[in-house]
Amino acid sequence: MKRAIVTGSTGFIGSWLTLELLNNDYEVTAIVRNPDKLIPELKNNEKFIIINKDLEELSSFDIPSKEYDVFFNLCWGGVSTEFKNDIMLQISNIPMCLNVLKVCNDIGCKLFVSTGTVAEYALTTNVMDLKAKQSPNDMYGCAKVSVHYFLDVYAKQLNQPFIWAVIPSTFGERRTDNNIITYTIKSLIEKKKPQYGSLEQMWDFLYVSDVVRALRLIGERGVSENVYGIGSGQFRPLKEYIMQIRDIIDPSLELGIGEVPSLTNKSFSSCVNIYELVRDTGFQSKVSFEEGIRRTVDYWKKHL
């Protein structure tokens, strides 16, 4: 049995990652601020250990055992759209992540994996080169870029193996913030017409179970100091994804594509190069966009 620590287990991707690890013979220790927010599937698992602690105050003395294979850091304050330009909230994530890295090193954990985002490269017009200069366009992306550099330098100073994993546009059950897929599904189920810009951007969406499987494989097979992009490797105009969602729910419903004025004439991309991920871990996506959307639509039909 392998042993992992996860921060962010009460969040969307963090809860899915924790289940992914438990289902693959891991013992998982979760560090959470509010255990009441954990999903029931986690609370009742005998291989799941809860540490109730703010990450800013976490120390090695809070960890009951010191032998862990990988530390997954997914905790982040201010992911939802309405908080992405809250400067002080975004900046507050920097010391929190640095403290978590220090604790990881103090307990002798073999690998530290922290997650970035395609928002670091928001102004990219082609497939993202993760080794190129980042180009964020909001404070969330800026803070992620900053944390990446801070962690990279600090990990070298501590001699701590470290990997940065860039998370793609992720969808699936239990994601409740107002991202474009959730907005579209909820609007269409309620027979409302969702409104958008031109949706000409090239995009890559990945269902959440594939995202967390990629993270697990990075933790098991990833090469320290690498930056791994996670994605399906298949790119389409954003408009085609939205039309496919509409057709799955009800082909007769209207879409307000082009009804929201564009802020720029450029069409940006959210497509990640996954060559190194596939080469080092053997990752391949298993859930098609259509199948993932059908599962997500079924979820929202039950929960709206």
Side-chain angles (χ1 to χ4, degrees):
M1 180 183 297
K2 293 188 176 182
R3 306 180 76 230
I5 299 179
V6 178
T7 67
S9 287
T10 58
F12 168 56
I13 296 178
S15 63
W16 279 83
L17 173 62
T18 305
L19 284 174
E20 168 75 12
L21 294 169
L22 291 169
N23 291 335
N24 282 273
D25 201 31
Y26 277 78
E27 179 186 278
V28 179
T29 298
I31 304 164
V32 297
R33 180 178 286 113
N34 187 353
D36 292 338
K37 292 184 177 181
L38 290 166
I39 59 175
E41 296 94 320
L42 296 179
K43 293 180 181 179
N44 301 324
N45 194 305
E46 62 182 12
K47 295 186 294 182
F48 184 61
I49 300 167
I50 301 171
I51 296 176
N52 185 5
K53 190 81 174 184
D54 285 348
L55 293 179
E56 297 89 344
E57 301 172 358
L58 184 71
S59 76
S60 60
F61 298 107
D62 297 309
I63 312 296
S65 174
K66 310 302 180 188
E67 295 183 6
Y68 288 92
D69 298 288
V70 58
F71 195 126
F72 291 99
N73 179 40
L74 276 72
C75 193
W76 192 269
V79 176
S80 298
T81 303
E82 61 267 31
F83 299 119
K84 287 192 173 181
N85 282 303
D86 185 325
I87 296 175
M88 298 313 297
L89 175 59
Q90 295 301 332
I91 289 176
S92 70
N93 290 287
I94 298 174
M96 177 181 71
C97 289
L98 288 171
N99 185 53
V100 170
L101 173 59
K102 182 179 185 302
V103 172
C104 172
N105 185 258
D106 286 345
I107 65 174
C109 186
K110 298 174 184 176
L111 177 66
F112 185 76
V113 178
S114 198
T115 53
T117 168
V118 291
E120 298 172 59
Y121 304 85
L123 302 183
T124 301
T125 56
N126 297 303
V127 177
M128 293 177 188
D129 179 1
L130 301 184
K131 297 178 181 178
K133 180 181 178 181
Q134 296 95 328
S135 55
N137 69 347
D138 58 23
M139 294 303 167
Y140 168 65
C142 288
K144 280 289 189 179
V145 171
S146 299
V147 164
H148 180 190
Y149 281 108
F150 272 106
L151 291 176
D152 188 49
V153 172
Y154 196 28
K156 288 182 172 68
Q157 292 176 348
L158 297 173
N159 198 29
Q160 171 65 51
F162 163 59
I163 291 174
W164 186 254
V166 176
I167 300 293
S169 295
T170 306
F171 70 98
E173 301 94 311
R174 298 198 305 275
R175 180 166 186 180
T176 57
D177 65 296
N178 201 33
N179 64 90
I180 190 170
I181 286 187
T182 302
Y183 165 69
T184 299
I185 291 174
K186 290 171 68 175
S187 298
L188 294 174
I189 289 176
E190 294 174 342
K191 306 298 181 183
K192 299 175 182 176
K193 182 172 75 169
Q195 295 179 302
Y196 315 91
S198 63
L199 301 184
E200 295 175 355
Q201 307 97 310
M202 295 299 291
W203 221 257
D204 182 11
F205 286 106
L206 194 60
Y207 183 64
V208 62
S209 67
D210 278 334
V211 172
V212 299
R213 186 165 51 83
L215 283 172
R216 175 177 60 81
L217 291 173
I218 287 171
E220 293 173 352
R221 307 175 189 175
V223 178
S224 179
E225 298 189 21
N226 268 6
V227 177
Y228 288 106
I230 298 174
S232 71
Q234 300 177 2
F235 317 134
R236 289 189 283 161
L238 193 49
K239 181 191 302 184
E240 292 186 12
Y241 292 106
I242 299 304
M243 294 175 66
Q244 188 172 6
I245 295 172
R246 186 272 314 275
D247 292 344
I248 287 172
I249 295 173
D250 183 347
S252 68
L253 295 174
E254 284 189 273
L255 294 172
I257 297 175
E259 294 184 0
V260 176
S262 296
L263 299 177
T264 175
N265 293 325
K266 293 184 178 180
S267 294
F268 302 124
S269 165
S270 179
C271 308
V272 183
N273 186 330
I274 63 171
Y275 170 76
E276 290 186 339
L277 174 68
V278 174
R279 180 197 65 195
D280 292 349
T281 73
F283 171 79
Q284 289 185 335
S285 60
K286 293 183 177 180
V287 181
S288 68
F289 179 77
E290 178 180 357
E291 174 59 27
I293 288 297
R294 291 189 184 279
R295 297 179 189 179
T296 309
V297 168
D298 288 343
Y299 170 85
W300 278 112
K301 284 181 176 179
K302 295 175 183 177
H303 288 83
L304 276 177

